[in-house]
Amino acid sequence: MRRAAREQDAKKAAEREARRPVCTGCGAKFTDECWEKALATDWGTPRDSHPQLCDDCKQQAQAVAVRQAPVGNEHQEQHQAVPEQKTGRWFSRRA
């Protein structure tokens, strides 16, 4: 009976490892902690910014986003500086 229980536990562990997600950035398997963060859906739990990435790849992605953020703000400011053209009546578009 103990042998059957050990075999069943080993089978469950193997199935769990087969379901373990991998990082889309580097292909490393998630740790248990990282896996739990990615699956967290409680109201009080902060949402994971990159649930498909491991901690190392997530830090790299966030660093890239920080470096590119000022460029994005300048781009938005340029669009705001250009006045939008007002369209006339509905039929004025047919020209």
Side-chain angles (χ1 to χ4, degrees):
M1 226 173 234
R2 289 181 185 172
R3 181 177 165 202
R6 277 187 263 140
E7 288 176 2
Q8 186 176 10
D9 289 342
K11 184 178 178 182
K12 284 182 182 180
E15 289 174 353
R16 186 173 193 277
E17 286 302 312
R19 288 191 320 265
R20 184 177 297 273
V22 296
C23 175
T24 56
C26 65
K29 288 195 172 200
F30 279 20
T31 61
D32 288 338
E33 182 181 331
C34 188
W35 191 2
E36 288 174 15
K37 284 181 192 176
L39 297 177
T41 57
D42 283 342
W43 284 94
T45 306
R47 186 178 170 105
D48 192 359
S49 62
H50 297 84
Q52 73 280 8
L53 298 176
C54 68
D55 290 334
D56 292 336
C57 292
K58 191 180 307 183
Q59 288 176 352
Q60 290 175 356
Q62 289 171 344
V64 168
V66 167
R67 279 184 272 160
Q68 292 178 348
V71 174
N73 290 339
E74 291 173 3
H75 184 68
Q76 289 176 352
E77 290 173 5
Q78 289 175 354
H79 281 290
Q80 291 174 354
V82 175
E84 293 186 26
Q85 295 178 349
K86 292 184 179 180
T87 57
R89 295 183 182 175
W90 178 261
F91 293 108
S92 65
R93 292 184 182 184
R94 299 168 72 192

Coordinates of all heavy atoms in Angstrom, one line a residue:
M1 N 0.8 -1.2 0.0 CA 0.0 0.0 0.0 C 0.9 1.3 0.0 O 0.5 2.2 -0.7 CB -0.9 0.0 1.2 CG -2.2 0.4 0.8 SD -3.4 0.3 1.9 CE -4.4 0.1 2.7
R2 N 1.9 1.3 0.7 CA 2.8 2.4 0.8 C 3.5 2.6 -0.6 O 3.7 3.8 -1.0 CB 3.9 2.2 1.8 CG 3.5 2.3 3.2 CD 4.6 2.1 4.2 NE 4.1 2.1 5.5 CZ 4.8 1.8 6.6 NH1 6.1 1.5 6.4 NH2 4.3 1.8 7.8
R3 N 3.7 1.5 -1.3 CA 4.3 1.6 -2.6 C 3.4 2.3 -3.6 O 3.8 3.2 -4.4 CB 4.7 0.2 -3.1 CG 5.4 0.2 -4.4 CD 5.8 -1.2 -4.8 NE 6.1 -1.2 -6.2 CZ 6.0 -2.3 -6.9 NH1 5.7 -3.5 -6.4 NH2 6.3 -2.3 -8.2
A4 N 2.1 1.9 -3.5 CA 1.1 2.5 -4.4 C 0.9 4.0 -4.1 O 0.8 4.8 -5.0 CB -0.3 1.8 -4.2
A5 N 1.0 4.4 -2.8 CA 0.9 5.8 -2.4 C 2.1 6.6 -2.9 O 1.9 7.7 -3.4 CB 0.8 5.9 -0.9
R6 N 3.3 6.0 -2.8 CA 4.5 6.7 -3.3 C 4.4 6.9 -4.8 O 4.7 7.9 -5.4 CB 5.7 5.9 -3.0 CG 6.2 6.2 -1.6 CD 7.5 5.6 -1.3 NE 7.2 4.3 -0.6 CZ 7.8 3.2 -0.8 NH1 8.8 3.0 -1.6 NH2 7.5 2.1 -0.1
E7 N 3.9 5.8 -5.5 CA 3.8 5.9 -7.0 C 2.7 7.0 -7.4 O 3.0 7.7 -8.3 CB 3.4 4.6 -7.6 CG 4.5 3.5 -7.5 CD 4.0 2.2 -8.1 OE1 2.8 2.1 -8.5 OE2 4.8 1.3 -8.0
Q8 N 1.7 7.1 -6.6 CA 0.6 8.1 -6.9 C 1.2 9.5 -6.6 O 0.9 10.4 -7.4 CB -0.6 7.8 -6.1 CG -1.8 8.7 -6.4 CD -3.0 8.4 -5.6 OE1 -3.0 7.6 -4.7 NE2 -4.1 9.0 -6.0
D9 N 1.9 9.6 -5.6 CA 2.5 10.9 -5.3 C 3.5 11.4 -6.3 O 3.6 12.5 -6.8 CB 3.2 10.9 -3.9 CG 2.2 10.9 -2.7 OD1 1.0 11.2 -3.0 OD2 2.6 10.5 -1.6
A10 N 4.3 10.4 -6.8 CA 5.3 10.7 -7.9 C 4.6 11.1 -9.2 O 5.0 12.0 -9.9 CB 6.2 9.5 -8.1
K11 N 3.5 10.4 -9.4 CA 2.7 10.7 -10.6 C 2.1 12.1 -10.6 O 2.1 12.9 -11.5 CB 1.6 9.7 -10.8 CG 0.8 9.9 -12.1 CD -0.3 8.8 -12.2 CE -1.1 9.0 -13.5 NZ -2.2 8.0 -13.6
K12 N 1.6 12.5 -9.4 CA 1.0 13.8 -9.2 C 2.1 14.9 -9.3 O 1.9 15.9 -9.9 CB 0.4 14.0 -7.8 CG -1.0 13.3 -7.7 CD -1.6 13.5 -6.4 CE -2.9 12.8 -6.2 NZ -3.5 13.0 -4.9
A13 N 3.3 14.6 -8.8 CA 4.4 15.6 -8.9 C 4.8 15.7 -10.4 O 5.1 16.8 -10.8 CB 5.6 15.1 -8.0
A14 N 4.9 14.6 -11.1 CA 5.2 14.7 -12.5 C 4.2 15.5 -13.3 O 4.5 16.3 -14.2 CB 5.4 13.3 -13.1
E15 N 2.9 15.3 -13.0 CA 1.9 16.0 -13.7 C 2.0 17.5 -13.4 O 1.8 18.4 -14.3 CB 0.5 15.5 -13.3 CG 0.2 14.1 -13.9 CD -1.1 13.6 -13.3 OE1 -1.7 14.2 -12.4 OE2 -1.5 12.5 -13.8
R16 N 2.3 17.8 -12.1 CA 2.4 19.3 -11.7 C 3.6 19.9 -12.5 O 3.5 21.0 -13.0 CB 2.6 19.4 -10.2 CG 2.6 20.8 -9.7 CD 2.7 20.8 -8.2 NE 2.4 22.1 -7.7 CZ 3.3 23.1 -7.5 NH1 4.5 22.9 -7.9 NH2 2.9 24.2 -7.0
E17 N 4.7 19.2 -12.6 CA 5.8 19.7 -13.3 C 5.5 19.9 -14.8 O 6.0 20.8 -15.4 CB 7.1 18.8 -13.1 CG 7.7 18.9 -11.7 CD 8.1 20.4 -11.4 OE1 8.8 21.0 -12.2 OE2 7.8 20.8 -10.3
A18 N 4.7 19.0 -15.3 CA 4.4 19.2 -16.8 C 3.5 20.4 -17.0 O 3.6 21.0 -18.1 CB 3.6 17.9 -17.2
R19 N 2.7 20.8 -16.0 CA 1.8 22.0 -16.1 C 2.6 23.3 -15.8 O 2.1 24.4 -16.1 CB 0.7 21.9 -15.2 CG -0.4 20.9 -15.6 CD -1.6 21.0 -14.7 NE -1.4 21.3 -13.3 CZ -1.4 20.4 -12.3 NH1 -1.5 19.2 -12.6 NH2 -1.2 20.8 -11.1
R20 N 3.8 23.2 -15.2 CA 4.5 24.4 -14.8 C 4.8 25.2 -16.0 O 5.4 24.8 -17.0 CB 5.8 23.9 -14.1 CG 6.6 25.1 -13.6 CD 7.9 24.6 -12.8 NE 7.6 23.8 -11.7 CZ 7.4 24.3 -10.4 NH1 7.4 25.6 -10.2 NH2 7.1 23.5 -9.4
P21 N 4.5 26.5 -15.9 CA 4.8 27.4 -17.1 C 6.2 27.7 -17.2 O 7.0 27.6 -16.3 CB 4.0 28.7 -16.7 CG 3.7 28.6 -15.3 CD 3.8 27.2 -14.9
V22 N 6.6 28.1 -18.4 CA 8.0 28.6 -18.7 C 8.0 30.0 -19.1 O 7.0 30.5 -19.7 CB 8.6 27.7 -19.8 CG1 8.8 26.3 -19.3 CG2 7.9 27.7 -21.1
C23 N 9.1 30.7 -18.9 CA 9.2 32.1 -19.3 C 9.2 32.2 -20.8 O 10.0 31.5 -21.5 CB 10.5 32.6 -18.7 SG 10.9 34.3 -19.2
T24 N 8.5 33.2 -21.3 CA 8.5 33.4 -22.8 C 9.7 34.1 -23.2 O 10.0 34.1 -24.4 CB 7.2 34.1 -23.2 OG1 7.2 35.4 -22.5 CG2 6.0 33.3 -22.9
G25 N 10.5 34.7 -22.3 CA 11.7 35.4 -22.6 C 12.9 34.5 -22.8 O 13.6 34.5 -23.8
C26 N 13.1 33.7 -21.7 CA 14.3 32.9 -21.7 C 14.0 31.4 -21.7 O 15.0 30.6 -21.9 CB 15.2 33.2 -20.5 SG 14.4 32.8 -18.9
G27 N 12.8 30.9 -21.5 CA 12.5 29.5 -21.5 C 12.7 28.8 -20.2 O 12.5 27.6 -20.2
A28 N 13.1 29.5 -19.2 CA 13.3 28.9 -17.8 C 11.9 28.6 -17.2 O 11.0 29.3 -17.4 CB 14.1 29.8 -16.9
K29 N 11.9 27.4 -16.5 CA 10.7 27.1 -15.8 C 10.5 28.0 -14.6 O 11.4 28.4 -13.9 CB 10.7 25.6 -15.3 CG 10.6 24.6 -16.4 CD 10.3 23.3 -15.9 CE 10.0 22.4 -17.0 NZ 9.3 21.2 -16.6
F30 N 9.2 28.4 -14.3 CA 8.9 29.2 -13.2 C 9.1 28.5 -11.9 O 8.9 27.3 -11.8 CB 7.4 29.6 -13.2 CG 7.0 30.7 -14.2 CD1 7.9 31.1 -15.2 CD2 5.9 31.4 -14.0 CE1 7.5 32.1 -16.1 CE2 5.5 32.5 -14.9 CZ 6.3 32.8 -15.9
T31 N 9.6 29.3 -10.9 CA 9.6 28.8 -9.5 C 8.2 28.8 -9.0 O 7.3 29.4 -9.5 CB 10.5 29.7 -8.6 OG1 9.9 31.0 -8.6 CG2 11.9 29.8 -9.2
D32 N 8.0 28.1 -7.9 CA 6.7 28.0 -7.3 C 6.2 29.4 -6.9 O 5.0 29.7 -7.1 CB 6.7 27.1 -6.0 CG 6.9 25.6 -6.3 OD1 6.6 25.2 -7.5 OD2 7.3 24.9 -5.4
E33 N 7.1 30.2 -6.4 CA 6.7 31.6 -6.0 C 6.2 32.4 -7.2 O 5.2 33.1 -7.2 CB 7.8 32.3 -5.3 CG 7.5 33.6 -4.8 CD 8.7 34.3 -4.1 OE1 9.6 33.6 -3.5 OE2 8.8 35.5 -4.2
C34 N 7.0 32.3 -8.2 CA 6.7 33.1 -9.5 C 5.4 32.6 -10.1 O 4.6 33.4 -10.6 CB 7.9 33.0 -10.4 SG 7.7 34.0 -11.9
W35 N 5.2 31.3 -10.0 CA 4.0 30.7 -10.6 C 2.8 31.2 -9.8 O 1.7 31.5 -10.4 CB 4.1 29.2 -10.5 CG 3.1 28.4 -11.3 CD1 2.1 28.9 -12.1 CD2 3.0 27.0 -11.3 NE1 1.4 27.8 -12.6 CE2 1.9 26.7 -12.2 CE3 3.7 25.9 -10.8 CZ2 1.5 25.4 -12.4 CZ3 3.3 24.6 -11.0 CH2 2.2 24.3 -11.9
E36 N 2.9 31.2 -8.5 CA 1.8 31.7 -7.7 C 1.4 33.1 -7.9 O 0.3 33.5 -8.0 CB 2.1 31.5 -6.2 CG 2.1 30.0 -5.8 CD 2.5 29.8 -4.3 OE1 2.6 30.8 -3.6 OE2 2.8 28.7 -4.0
K37 N 2.5 34.0 -8.1 CA 2.2 35.4 -8.5 C 1.5 35.5 -9.8 O 0.6 36.4 -9.9 CB 3.6 36.1 -8.5 CG 4.2 36.4 -7.2 CD 5.5 37.2 -7.5 CE 6.4 37.3 -6.3 NZ 7.6 38.0 -6.6
A38 N 1.9 34.7 -10.7 CA 1.3 34.8 -12.1 C -0.2 34.4 -12.1 O -1.0 35.0 -12.8 CB 2.0 34.0 -13.1
L39 N -0.5 33.5 -11.2 CA -1.9 33.0 -11.1 C -2.8 33.8 -10.1 O -4.0 33.5 -10.0 CB -1.9 31.5 -10.7 CG -1.3 30.6 -11.7 CD1 -1.3 29.2 -11.2 CD2 -2.0 30.7 -13.1
A40 N -2.2 34.7 -9.3 CA -2.9 35.4 -8.2 C -4.1 36.2 -8.8 O -3.9 37.0 -9.8 CB -2.0 36.3 -7.4
T41 N -5.3 36.0 -8.3 CA -6.4 36.8 -8.7 C -7.2 37.4 -7.6 O -8.3 37.9 -7.8 CB -7.4 35.8 -9.5 OG1 -7.8 34.8 -8.7 CG2 -6.7 35.3 -10.8
D42 N -6.7 37.4 -6.4 CA -7.4 38.0 -5.3 C -7.5 39.5 -5.4 O -6.7 40.2 -6.1 CB -6.7 37.7 -3.9 CG -6.9 36.3 -3.4 OD1 -7.9 35.7 -3.9 OD2 -6.2 35.9 -2.6
W43 N -8.5 40.1 -4.8 CA -8.7 41.5 -4.9 C -7.6 42.3 -4.3 O -7.1 43.3 -4.8 CB -10.0 41.9 -4.2 CG -11.2 41.6 -4.9 CD1 -12.0 40.5 -4.9 CD2 -11.8 42.4 -5.9 NE1 -13.0 40.5 -5.7 CE2 -13.0 41.7 -6.4 CE3 -11.6 43.6 -6.5 CZ2 -13.8 42.2 -7.4 CZ3 -12.4 44.1 -7.4 CH2 -13.5 43.4 -7.9
G44 N -7.0 41.8 -3.2 CA -5.9 42.5 -2.5 C -4.6 42.3 -3.1 O -3.6 43.0 -2.7
T45 N -4.4 41.3 -4.0 CA -3.1 41.0 -4.6 C -2.8 41.9 -5.7 O -3.7 42.1 -6.6 CB -3.2 39.6 -5.1 OG1 -3.6 38.7 -4.0 CG2 -1.8 39.2 -5.6
P46 N -1.7 42.6 -5.7 CA -1.3 43.4 -6.9 C -1.2 42.6 -8.1 O -0.7 41.5 -8.1 CB 0.0 44.1 -6.5 CG 0.5 43.2 -5.4 CD -0.6 42.5 -4.7
R47 N -1.6 43.1 -9.2 CA -1.6 42.4 -10.5 C -0.1 42.4 -11.0 O 0.6 43.4 -11.0 CB -2.5 43.1 -11.5 CG -2.6 42.4 -12.8 CD -3.6 43.1 -13.7 NE -3.5 42.6 -15.0 CZ -4.4 41.8 -15.6 NH1 -5.5 41.5 -14.9 NH2 -4.3 41.3 -16.8
D48 N 0.3 41.2 -11.5 CA 1.6 41.1 -12.1 C 1.7 41.8 -13.4 O 0.8 41.6 -14.3 CB 1.9 39.6 -12.2 CG 3.4 39.3 -12.5 OD1 4.1 40.2 -12.6 OD2 3.7 38.1 -12.6
S49 N 2.7 42.6 -13.6 CA 2.8 43.4 -14.9 C 3.2 42.5 -16.1 O 2.8 42.8 -17.2 CB 3.9 44.5 -14.7 OG 5.1 43.9 -14.4
H50 N 3.9 41.4 -15.9 CA 4.3 40.5 -17.0 C 4.2 39.1 -16.5 O 5.2 38.5 -16.1 CB 5.8 40.8 -17.4 CG 6.0 42.2 -17.9 ND1 6.2 43.3 -17.1 CD2 6.0 42.6 -19.2 CE1 6.4 44.3 -17.9 NE2 6.3 44.0 -19.2
P51 N 3.0 38.5 -16.4 CA 2.8 37.2 -15.8 C 3.5 36.1 -16.7 O 3.6 35.0 -16.2 CB 1.3 37.0 -15.8 CG 0.8 38.0 -16.8 CD 1.7 39.1 -16.9
Q52 N 3.9 36.3 -17.9 CA 4.5 35.3 -18.7 C 6.0 35.3 -18.6 O 6.6 34.5 -19.3 CB 4.0 35.5 -20.2 CG 4.6 36.7 -20.9 CD 3.9 38.0 -20.6 OE1 3.1 38.1 -19.7 NE2 4.3 39.0 -21.3
L53 N 6.6 36.2 -17.8 CA 8.0 36.3 -17.7 C 8.5 35.9 -16.3 O 7.8 36.2 -15.4 CB 8.5 37.7 -18.0 CG 8.2 38.3 -19.4 CD1 8.6 39.7 -19.5 CD2 8.9 37.5 -20.5
C54 N 9.8 35.4 -16.3 CA 10.4 35.1 -15.0 C 10.8 36.4 -14.4 O 10.8 37.5 -15.0 CB 11.6 34.1 -15.2 SG 13.0 34.8 -16.1
D55 N 11.3 36.4 -13.1 CA 11.7 37.6 -12.4 C 12.8 38.3 -13.2 O 12.8 39.6 -13.3 CB 12.1 37.3 -11.0 CG 10.9 36.9 -10.2 OD1 9.8 37.3 -10.5 OD2 11.1 36.1 -9.2
D56 N 13.8 37.6 -13.7 CA 14.9 38.3 -14.3 C 14.5 39.0 -15.6 O 14.8 40.1 -15.9 CB 16.0 37.3 -14.7 CG 16.7 36.8 -13.4 OD1 16.7 37.5 -12.4 OD2 17.3 35.7 -13.5
C57 N 13.7 38.3 -16.4 CA 13.2 38.9 -17.7 C 12.2 40.0 -17.4 O 12.2 41.0 -18.2 CB 12.5 37.8 -18.6 SG 13.7 36.6 -19.2
K58 N 11.5 39.9 -16.3 CA 10.5 40.9 -16.0 C 11.3 42.2 -15.6 O 10.9 43.3 -16.0 CB 9.7 40.5 -14.8 CG 8.5 41.3 -14.4 CD 7.8 40.8 -13.2 CE 7.4 39.4 -13.4 NZ 6.6 38.8 -12.3
Q59 N 12.4 42.1 -14.9 CA 13.2 43.3 -14.5 C 13.8 43.9 -15.8 O 13.8 45.1 -15.9 CB 14.3 42.9 -13.5 CG 13.8 42.6 -12.1 CD 14.9 42.1 -11.2 OE1 16.0 41.8 -11.7 NE2 14.6 41.9 -10.0
Q60 N 14.2 43.1 -16.7 CA 14.8 43.6 -17.9 C 13.7 44.4 -18.7 O 13.9 45.4 -19.3 CB 15.4 42.5 -18.8 CG 16.6 42.0 -18.2 CD 17.2 40.8 -19.0 OE1 16.5 40.3 -19.9 NE2 18.3 40.2 -18.6
A61 N 12.5 43.8 -18.8 CA 11.4 44.4 -19.5 C 11.0 45.7 -18.9 O 10.7 46.7 -19.6 CB 10.2 43.5 -19.6
Q62 N 10.9 45.8 -17.6 CA 10.6 47.0 -16.9 C 11.6 48.1 -17.1 O 11.3 49.2 -17.2 CB 10.3 46.7 -15.4 CG 9.1 45.9 -15.2 CD 8.9 45.5 -13.7 OE1 9.9 45.5 -13.0 NE2 7.7 45.1 -13.4
A63 N 12.9 47.7 -17.1 CA 14.0 48.6 -17.3 C 13.9 49.2 -18.7 O 14.1 50.4 -18.9 CB 15.4 48.0 -17.1
V64 N 13.6 48.4 -19.7 CA 13.4 48.9 -21.1 C 12.2 49.8 -21.2 O 12.3 50.9 -21.8 CB 13.2 47.7 -22.1 CG1 12.8 48.1 -23.4 CG2 14.5 46.9 -22.2
A65 N 11.1 49.5 -20.5 CA 10.0 50.4 -20.5 C 10.3 51.7 -19.9 O 9.8 52.7 -20.3 CB 8.8 49.7 -19.8
V66 N 11.1 51.7 -18.8 CA 11.4 53.0 -18.2 C 12.3 53.8 -19.1 O 12.1 55.0 -19.2 CB 12.2 52.7 -16.8 CG1 12.8 54.0 -16.3 CG2 11.2 52.2 -15.8
R67 N 13.2 53.2 -19.8 CA 14.1 53.9 -20.7 C 13.3 54.5 -21.9 O 13.6 55.6 -22.4 CB 15.2 53.0 -21.3 CG 16.3 52.9 -20.3 CD 17.4 52.1 -20.9 NE 17.1 50.7 -20.5 CZ 17.6 49.7 -21.2 NH1 18.4 49.8 -22.2 NH2 17.2 48.5 -20.8
Q68 N 12.2 53.8 -22.3 CA 11.5 54.2 -23.5 C 10.3 55.2 -23.1 O 9.7 55.8 -24.0 CB 10.9 53.0 -24.2 CG 12.0 52.2 -24.9 CD 11.4 51.0 -25.6 OE1 10.2 50.7 -25.4 NE2 12.2 50.3 -26.4
A69 N 10.0 55.3 -21.8 CA 8.9 56.1 -21.4 C 9.0 57.6 -21.8 O 8.1 58.2 -22.3 CB 8.7 56.0 -19.9
P70 N 10.2 58.2 -21.6 CA 10.3 59.6 -22.0 C 10.1 59.8 -23.5 O 9.5 60.8 -23.9 CB 11.7 60.0 -21.6 CG 12.1 59.1 -20.5 CD 11.3 57.8 -20.9
V71 N 10.5 58.9 -24.3 CA 10.3 59.0 -25.7 C 8.8 59.0 -26.1 O 8.3 59.8 -26.9 CB 11.0 57.9 -26.5 CG1 10.7 57.9 -28.0 CG2 12.5 58.0 -26.2
G72 N 8.0 58.1 -25.4 CA 6.6 58.1 -25.6 C 5.9 59.3 -25.2 O 5.0 59.8 -25.8
N73 N 6.3 60.0 -24.1 CA 5.7 61.2 -23.6 C 5.9 62.3 -24.6 O 5.1 63.1 -24.9 CB 6.2 61.6 -22.2 CG 5.8 60.6 -21.2 OD1 4.8 59.9 -21.4 ND2 6.5 60.6 -20.1
E74 N 7.1 62.4 -25.2 CA 7.4 63.5 -26.2 C 6.5 63.3 -27.4 O 6.1 64.2 -28.0 CB 8.9 63.4 -26.6 CG 9.8 63.9 -25.5 CD 11.3 63.7 -25.8 OE1 11.5 63.3 -27.0 OE2 12.1 63.9 -25.0
H75 N 6.3 62.0 -27.8 CA 5.5 61.7 -28.9 C 4.1 62.2 -28.7 O 3.4 62.7 -29.6 CB 5.6 60.2 -29.2 CG 4.8 59.8 -30.5 ND1 5.2 60.2 -31.7 CD2 3.7 59.1 -30.6 CE1 4.4 59.7 -32.6 NE2 3.5 59.0 -32.0
Q76 N 3.6 61.9 -27.5 CA 2.2 62.4 -27.1 C 2.1 63.9 -27.1 O 1.1 64.4 -27.6 CB 1.8 61.8 -25.8 CG 1.6 60.3 -25.8 CD 1.3 59.8 -24.4 OE1 1.4 60.5 -23.4 NE2 0.9 58.5 -24.4
E77 N 3.1 64.6 -26.6 CA 3.1 66.0 -26.6 C 3.1 66.6 -28.0 O 2.4 67.6 -28.2 CB 4.3 66.5 -25.8 CG 4.3 66.2 -24.3 CD 5.6 66.6 -23.6 OE1 6.5 67.2 -24.3 OE2 5.7 66.3 -22.5
Q78 N 3.7 66.0 -28.9 CA 3.7 66.5 -30.3 C 2.3 66.4 -30.9 O 1.9 67.3 -31.6 CB 4.7 65.7 -31.2 CG 6.1 66.0 -30.9 CD 7.1 65.1 -31.7 OE1 6.6 64.2 -32.4 NE2 8.4 65.3 -31.6
H79 N 1.6 65.3 -30.6 CA 0.3 65.1 -31.1 C -0.7 66.1 -30.5 O -1.6 66.6 -31.1 CB -0.2 63.7 -30.9 CG 0.3 62.7 -31.9 ND1 -0.1 62.7 -33.2 CD2 1.2 61.7 -31.7 CE1 0.6 61.8 -33.8 NE2 1.4 61.2 -33.0
Q80 N -0.4 66.5 -29.2 CA -1.3 67.4 -28.5 C -1.1 68.8 -29.1 O -2.0 69.7 -29.0 CB -1.1 67.4 -27.0 CG -1.6 66.1 -26.4 CD -1.2 66.0 -24.9 OE1 -0.5 66.8 -24.4 NE2 -1.7 64.9 -24.3
A81 N 0.1 69.1 -29.5 CA 0.4 70.5 -30.0 C -0.2 70.8 -31.3 O -0.5 71.9 -31.7 CB 2.0 70.6 -30.1
V82 N -0.5 69.7 -32.1 CA -1.1 69.9 -33.4 C -2.6 70.0 -33.2 O -3.3 69.1 -32.7 CB -0.8 68.7 -34.4 CG1 -1.6 68.9 -35.7 CG2 0.7 68.6 -34.6
P83 N -3.2 71.2 -33.6 CA -4.7 71.3 -33.4 C -5.4 70.3 -34.4 O -5.0 70.1 -35.5 CB -5.0 72.8 -33.8 CG -3.8 73.1 -34.7 CD -2.7 72.3 -34.3
E84 N -6.5 69.8 -33.8 CA -7.3 68.8 -34.6 C -8.2 69.6 -35.6 O -8.7 70.7 -35.2 CB -8.1 68.0 -33.7 CG -7.3 67.0 -32.8 CD -8.2 66.1 -32.1 OE1 -9.3 65.8 -32.5 OE2 -7.8 65.6 -31.0
Q85 N -8.3 69.1 -36.8 CA -9.2 69.7 -37.8 C -10.6 69.4 -37.4 O -10.9 68.2 -37.1 CB -8.8 69.2 -39.2 CG -7.5 69.6 -39.6 CD -7.1 69.1 -41.0 OE1 -7.9 68.2 -41.5 NE2 -6.1 69.6 -41.6
K86 N -11.4 70.4 -37.5 CA -12.9 70.1 -37.3 C -13.5 69.7 -38.6 O -13.2 70.2 -39.6 CB -13.6 71.4 -36.8 CG -13.1 71.8 -35.4 CD -13.9 73.0 -34.9 CE -13.5 73.3 -33.6 NZ -14.3 74.5 -33.1
T87 N -14.3 68.7 -38.5 CA -15.0 68.2 -39.7 C -16.3 69.0 -39.8 O -16.9 69.4 -38.8 CB -15.3 66.7 -39.6 OG1 -16.0 66.4 -38.4 CG2 -14.0 65.9 -39.6
G88 N -16.7 69.2 -41.0 CA -17.9 69.9 -41.2 C -19.1 69.0 -41.0 O -19.2 68.2 -40.1
R89 N -20.1 69.2 -41.8 CA -21.3 68.4 -41.7 C -21.0 67.0 -42.2 O -20.0 66.7 -42.8 CB -22.4 69.0 -42.6 CG -22.8 70.3 -42.0 CD -23.9 70.9 -42.9 NE -24.3 72.2 -42.4 CZ -25.2 72.9 -43.0 NH1 -25.8 72.5 -44.1 NH2 -25.5 74.1 -42.5
W90 N -22.0 66.2 -42.0 CA -21.9 64.8 -42.4 C -21.6 64.6 -43.9 O -20.8 63.8 -44.3 CB -23.2 64.0 -42.0 CG -23.1 62.6 -42.4 CD1 -23.7 62.0 -43.5 CD2 -22.5 61.5 -41.8 NE1 -23.5 60.7 -43.6 CE2 -22.7 60.4 -42.5 CE3 -21.7 61.4 -40.6 CZ2 -22.2 59.1 -42.1 CZ3 -21.3 60.2 -40.2 CH2 -21.5 59.1 -41.0
F91 N -22.2 65.4 -44.7 CA -22.1 65.3 -46.2 C -20.8 66.0 -46.7 O -20.5 65.8 -47.9 CB -23.3 65.8 -46.9 CG -24.5 65.0 -46.6 CD1 -25.5 65.4 -45.8 CD2 -24.7 63.7 -47.2 CE1 -26.6 64.7 -45.5 CE2 -25.8 62.9 -46.9 CZ -26.8 63.4 -46.1
S92 N -20.2 66.8 -45.9 CA -19.0 67.5 -46.4 C -17.8 66.5 -46.5 O -16.8 66.9 -47.2 CB -18.6 68.6 -45.4 OG -18.2 68.0 -44.1
R93 N -17.9 65.3 -46.0 CA -16.8 64.3 -46.2 C -16.8 63.8 -47.6 O -15.8 63.2 -48.1 CB -17.0 63.2 -45.2 CG -16.7 63.6 -43.8 CD -16.8 62.5 -42.9 NE -16.6 62.9 -41.5 CZ -16.5 62.1 -40.5 NH1 -16.7 60.8 -40.7 NH2 -16.4 62.5 -39.3
R94 N -17.9 63.9 -48.3 CA -18.0 63.3 -49.6 C -17.5 64.3 -50.6 O -18.2 65.2 -51.1 CB -19.5 62.9 -49.9 CG -20.0 61.9 -49.0 CD -21.5 61.7 -49.1 NE -21.8 61.1 -50.3 CZ -23.1 61.0 -50.8 NH1 -24.0 61.6 -50.1 NH2 -23.3 60.3 -51.9
A95 N -16.3 64.2 -51.0 CA -15.8 65.2 -51.9 C -15.1 64.6 -53.1 O -14.8 63.5 -53.1 CB -14.7 66.1 -51.2

